[in-house]
Amino acid sequence: MEKQIDQYVNEVYSGLVETKEVHDLKEEMRNHLLQTARDLKQQGHNEEESVRLAIERFGDGENLRHDLETLYGPTVNQVDSSRAGNVLGWASLIVGLLSFLSSVYAILSIPLGIVGLILGVIARKGSNRRIAIWGIAVSAVAILLTIFLLLLLTVHSYSVTPVNVHSSSQPMQTNHS
């Protein structure tokens, strides 16, 4: 009897983070179901029928689980995805900062900036959107700064005119006036 009731209770509470309040509710539900099944057995029902009727009277497990998630969420999966979102958000910000700091080295900065952007976009769906948005912004600024520096260096290298260097074997002409 207890095994079937425990299975039902565990199914109803599956996925919820087991806080003290959730644990207490779970125990209360278990005890209530056990008492109802015992009462039904005393009324003449066999053990299997007593458990089935007690569970039926308590309600549909799927609906109960949904209600409990609404009242006592988050579920374990939501907590895990929230943690992953935080990690990705911080990773985006750190990679973006590395990209910004290495903007002089275009070979590193642009790929790091792209990785920071991607991590930020993925993490933006998590719970810590602010960090993810900062990671996106810093990565974007780093990429733009790198592109600007590359353009500046390219323009500067084309604007420098070569200087005529005279070899020491040729005499320099001086203008004496």
Side-chain angles (χ1 to χ4, degrees):
M1 177 185 308
E2 287 187 30
K3 185 177 180 180
Q4 292 167 313
I5 288 176
D6 285 341
Q7 183 179 357
Y8 173 76
V9 171
N10 287 332
E11 183 181 308
V12 169
Y13 283 86
S14 69
L16 284 176
V17 175
E18 189 147 339
T19 62
K20 171 131 177 58
E21 186 176 18
V22 168
H23 176 74
D24 292 346
L25 287 170
K26 189 175 177 180
E27 280 301 309
E28 188 176 326
M29 179 183 188
R30 181 182 182 278
N31 291 335
H32 177 75
L33 285 167
L34 283 170
Q35 186 60 48
T36 303
R38 285 185 197 118
D39 291 347
L40 288 167
K41 192 171 179 183
Q42 285 179 350
Q43 294 173 8
H45 298 281
N46 66 29
E47 188 172 307
E48 185 178 311
E49 191 175 57
S50 297
V51 170
R52 183 184 59 78
L53 286 171
I55 290 172
E56 276 181 16
R57 288 180 182 177
F58 209 84
D60 179 45
E62 190 68 34
N63 289 335
L64 288 171
R65 181 175 40 247
H66 176 69
D67 292 343
L68 287 167
E69 286 175 357
T70 302
L71 293 171
Y72 298 102
T75 64
V76 172
N77 291 337
Q78 290 168 333
V79 169
D80 289 344
S81 69
S82 173
R83 287 182 186 147
N86 282 337
V87 169
L88 286 175
W90 281 105
S92 170
L93 183 59
I94 290 168
V95 169
L97 287 171
L98 287 173
S99 175
F100 184 78
L101 293 174
S102 68
S103 60
V104 176
Y105 305 103
I107 204 158
L108 291 175
S109 181
I110 291 178
L112 282 173
I114 291 170
V115 169
L117 284 172
I118 292 169
L119 289 173
V121 168
I122 294 169
R124 196 178 53 168
K125 297 174 184 171
S127 64
N128 203 343
R129 293 176 49 98
R130 181 176 290 155
I131 297 296
I133 290 170
W134 271 104
I136 291 169
V138 170
S139 297
V141 167
I143 290 171
L144 292 173
L145 179 64
T146 303
I147 291 170
F148 174 75
L149 289 174
L150 284 172
L151 289 173
L152 186 67
L153 289 172
T154 304
V155 168
H156 179 69
S157 67
Y158 282 117
S159 67
V160 175
T161 57
V163 176
N164 289 332
V165 177
H166 298 285
S167 68
S168 60
S169 63
Q170 295 178 352
M172 282 181 74
Q173 295 179 355
T174 57
N175 193 359
H176 298 286
S177 351

